[in-house]
Amino acid sequence: MSEKIGKHIAIYGKGGIGKSTTTSNISAALAESGYRVIQIGCDPKSDSTTILRGGNDLPTVLDTLREQSKVRIEDISAVGFGGVLCIEAGGPVPGVGCAGRGINAAVELLQELKLFDEFKPDFVLYDVLGDVVCGGFAVPIRDGLADRAFVVTSSDFMAIFAANNLFKAVNKYAPSGGARLGGVIANSILAPYAPALIDDFAGKTGSQVIGYVPRSLVVAQSELYGQTVIEAVPQSEQAQVYRNLAKFIDENEETVIPKPLNGPELKKWAREWGDRIFEVEAGVVHEMASI
Amino acid sequence: MSHHLEGSRNSCALHGALQLFESIAGVVPVIHSTSGCGVQHYLGGTRLSGGNDPFGSPAVSSSNIGEKHVVFGGGSRLREQLKNTVKVVQGDLYAIVTGCSTEMVGDDIPAMAKEGLEQDWPVVYANTPGFRGDVHQGYHLAAKTLIEQLPELWKDAEPAPAGLINIWGIIPDQDPFWRGNLDELGRLLEAIGLVPNLLLGGDQGTAAWKRAPGAALNLVVSPWGELPARLLEECYGTPSLSLEGLPVGAAAGILLTRLTEQLGLDPLRTEEFINREQARLQRQFALLADSYYRKGFQREFALVGESSQVVGIGEFLGKSLGLLPRTLVITDNPPEHVREALVNRLTTIVPGYDTELVFSEDRAEIADAIRSGQAGVVLGSSLEQEVAVELGVPFLAVSFPLTNRIVLDRGYAGYRGAVALLEDLGSVILADSLSV
Ligand SMILES: Nc1ncnc2c1ncn2[C@@H]1O[C@H](COP(=O)(O)OP(=O)(O)OP(=O)(O)O)[C@@H](O)[C@H]1O
Ligand code: SF4
Ligand SMILES: [Mg+2]
């Protein structure tokens, strides 16, 4: 690949955990501070950039590729809030075809179109669908496409499980030039134990939490306006949280190769946390804790 | 488990299935895969089996899917291809076979076949991606498809004549002599009052497959015939008789006697036929005798081929012709449970003589085995010609792939096959002795 233009960042995480929301807000915050940003949704649902562009229609790369043989960047991109260039890879309808190969084909096309040479981005953010279910979804972190991967997780076990799976993929590809881990983004923080739980997981796997995003009504409200929090409620505390995340990503380029837990380790870890949370909820007071 | 394989002679499941479907008159295969699959079937398969496929694979209908079908699913491409095929090629049966790409993507093939059926097109399907196995597996999958799906299609099964015998286990083109072998087996069965159901060949159409469930017996001549025979046994209770290889020469008589006993046929008629054929074979031996002794026919041989060929040809050469089986190589990866029987059978063809038996499909490994065996004549595929030349010994191409022979109706099974083998092997030995 020719010299890379801009910093390429991939965001992973369990389905529905808040990847698109978080990524869009980070994009908006980066744009707000003057950077040129591209956000690429790598998800057949093609809803990654919705709140950056007021919910307007955007033909996906693959749909366009299917319909016309010659594709131009203008056909498959839209300029959203703060000048963020929005692109949706798209994919097949659920249950047919191979979405993984779709991501592959879309990314290849973007490279053929010399998107990065044309747009000269400072940041490119890839918002990648749920679990790394097959090789196709690992494309952004393979081949050195993205330099850094971040994972969004809540304190739910299944979200942690998905994060651990991403660690496995990073662990596999990083040594041969794939992306390394930038850190963990803790999202939808509500329960008092949540930060400690996610911290503990990060610690056990040799990674770090780069920010805690509270669960907030502002997010839902902004979404209903078809906007990011940065755009809809720029003065809010929530907006500041996203700005801090963006700032961290901008200023810290440190990465690690995480050490994912194996099956039994993860189960044991979860069980221990289960016991602790249950005790907290049930109001059991340990002698030690009472001192 | 995985190892490097050089010069493989076992193509993929898709090709095995195609080879079966293409060998039934009136069956029109439709490939649902990338375009290379069909081309490769011709280049690496039918073209190398004795030049006996005038309408080989380049003309096979194929959906030739591209990236967009991989991403979005190729079902609609198949639908279109099936429709066009039905329009252009008249057939009694359309058989969809799938390749690796469409199976990875998970195209819903049964649904596409069902759509065809709803239009009153006779359609069956077999999921045959190369990753399911090799050419032998493809034969299995295609046979299974026909056995399981045809009764659904034709509720009016064709009544089977009494004494109908299905023949299983000969894979078209993988055995370049498949036509001749089937014909001779048919002749043998007819001679003792049975009705052969060859199932494959230019004169064998879908009607043969309609009759198959009503057969009196399944005759299995290679490990690859066991599965179809078992399926028929499970569905229709048809008994079977399993041989590990083709009956060549005297072995044909043994088979006929067994069949006569098992099916309660007229023993006198059978005996009379066997005696007549055996006497004829003896006369051929007598005709050969002069050359046999003058040119030193009796020598050690190396034989490379599918298990059914190695058993049939190897035993005939060793037991009836007095040659010595130095190196025997079985290339079709027979299932574990038949290997022991093969070892017992093939290492004792000539009692007291040390035969090396190798299971391998690797060209280099096979060449090494032949080289170290130092046999005086090599029978194998064209891939073994080089090592025969290196050893300076005569070579006869008898197994797939075969590049230097035209095979139309020649076969090496039965009595006639034995004579053909005498002629062919005798000729290469003679030619070799003249060239020195
Ligand atoms: N911090 C938060 N506070 C409140 N709601 C949130 C928060 N983060 C995300 N959400 C809400 O959760 C829902 C799912 O978020 P989002 O679409 O970003 O998830 P995703 O991980 O991209 O999902 P998918 O895997 O389906 O693409 C959205 O309705 C979003 O508004
Ligand atoms: S192995 Fe797969 S891709 Fe190759 S020819 Fe066979 S079906 Fe086609
Ligand atoms: Mg999303």
Side-chain angles (χ1 to χ4, degrees), chain A residues 155 188-195 281:
Chain A
S155 57
S188 288
I189 299 302
L190 198 60
Y193 60 81
E281 300 278 310

Side-chain angles (χ1 to χ4, degrees), chain A residues 62 66 91-92 96-98 101-102 105, chain B residues 67-73 105-107:
Chain A
L62 288 170
R66 172 154 64 167
V96 284
C98 178
R101 180 61 216 172
Chain B
E67 178 138 87
K68 106 177 157 191
H69 309 108
V70 170
V71 173
F72 294 102
V105 168
D107 282 350

Side-chain angles (χ1 to χ4, degrees), chain B residues 52-135:
Chain B
N52 55 12
D53 279 271
F55 299 112
S57 292
V60 175
S61 169
S62 168
S63 62
N64 293 353
I65 61 150
E67 178 138 87
K68 106 177 157 191
H69 309 108
V70 170
V71 173
F72 294 102
S76 52
R77 180 72 268 280
L78 174 59
R79 179 186 294 125
E80 182 182 41
Q81 189 62 29
L82 189 61
K83 191 174 101 196
N84 293 344
T85 307
V86 170
K87 236 188 259 168
V88 176
V89 194
Q90 275 286 331
D92 301 328
L93 185 70
Y94 298 87
I96 301 170
V97 284
T98 55
C100 295
S101 43
T102 51
E103 288 294 342
M104 290 286 288
V105 168
D107 282 350
D108 191 354
I109 311 302
M112 289 297 127
K114 192 156 165 263
E115 274 190 29
L117 292 175
E118 281 160 7
Q119 318 238 17
D120 278 335
W121 301 334
V123 180
V124 293
Y125 66 92
N127 300 94
T128 54
F131 53 75
R132 281 191 83 173
D134 70 7
V135 63

Side-chain angles (χ1 to χ4, degrees), chain A:
Chain A
M1 212 194 288
S2 56
E3 205 192 317
K4 199 177 279 170
I5 301 165
K7 295 174 184 171
H8 292 242
I9 285 154
I11 313 260
Y12 281 82
K14 182 190 174 308
I17 206 64
K19 294 178 297 295
S20 301
T21 310
T22 312
T23 310
S24 299
N25 275 290
I26 293 172
S27 288
L30 288 169
E32 196 186 47
S33 43
Y35 288 120
R36 291 176 68 75
V37 183
I38 304 179
Q39 179 166 327
I40 303 175
C42 299
D43 183 338
K45 282 197 311 302
S46 57
D47 61 355
S48 168
T49 59
T50 316
I51 56 171
L52 279 168
R53 49 190 168 80
N56 292 336
D57 257 7
L58 171 62
T60 70
V61 177
L62 288 170
D63 276 334
T64 314
L65 192 60
R66 172 154 64 167
E67 253 112 63
Q68 57 204 64
S69 52
K70 182 121 186 57
V71 180
R72 294 164 311 163
I73 294 176
E74 305 87 271
D75 302 334
I76 49 155
S77 61
V79 178
F81 172 78
V84 177
L85 193 71
C86 304
I87 294 176
E88 297 285 352
V93 297
V96 284
C98 178
R101 180 61 216 172
I103 301 292
N104 230 315
V107 168
E108 263 172 33
L109 180 75
L110 294 178
Q111 283 171 347
E112 266 168 45
L113 293 178
K114 303 219 173 303
L115 169 70
F116 308 132
D117 305 70
E118 298 280 320
F119 189 79
K120 304 206 185 341
D122 300 304
F123 286 94
V124 182
L125 280 80
Y126 301 86
D127 169 14
V128 193
L129 162 152
D131 254 310
V132 183
V133 283
C134 76
F137 298 100
V139 165
I141 54 166
R142 240 167 44 188
D143 312 329
L145 196 63
D147 339 272
R148 278 183 283 169
F150 291 89
V151 63
V152 181
T153 185
S154 69
S155 57
D156 290 345
F157 178 68
M158 292 321 279
I160 298 275
F161 181 80
N164 194 59
N165 276 347
L166 173 78
F167 289 1
K168 287 183 186 167
V170 172
N171 198 279
K172 174 175 168 53
Y173 290 118
S176 54
R180 292 162 58 100
L181 187 73
V184 175
I185 299 170
N187 188 36
S188 288
I189 299 302
L190 198 60
Y193 60 81
L197 183 148
I198 301 173
D199 278 343
D200 187 41
F201 170 71
K204 290 257 171 357
T205 51
S207 55
Q208 60 165 338
V209 180
I210 68 157
Y212 306 86
V213 184
R215 178 153 198 90
S216 153
L217 252 181
V218 179
V219 176
Q221 277 170 344
S222 309
E223 188 178 64
L224 290 171
Y225 287 127
Q227 291 177 345
T228 56
V229 177
I230 300 279
E231 183 180 5
V233 209
Q235 304 308 330
S236 60
E237 260 176 60
Q238 190 78 4
Q240 201 46 47
V241 172
Y242 289 123
R243 286 193 192 102
N244 291 345
L245 272 179
K247 191 161 170 329
F248 183 95
I249 290 173
D250 182 21
E251 292 173 358
N252 295 276
E253 296 198 10
E254 223 173 280
T255 55
V256 294
I257 299 184
K259 299 183 291 291
L261 301 177
N262 65 28
E265 283 167 0
L266 190 61
K267 235 184 246 161
K268 183 164 164 283
W269 176 86
R271 184 177 287 275
E272 283 166 13
W273 268 98
D275 293 344
R276 270 154 90 175
I277 295 167
F278 181 76
E279 285 170 7
V280 171
E281 300 278 310
V284 177
V285 180
H286 280 276
E287 273 179 42
M288 290 290 286
S290 62
I291 305 173

Side-chain angles (χ1 to χ4, degrees), chain B residues 12-15 33-34 36-37 40 98-101 128-131:
Chain B
C12 73
L14 169 68
H15 299 158
S33 195
T34 37
C37 296
Q40 190 53 29
T98 55
C100 295
S101 43
T128 54
F131 53 75

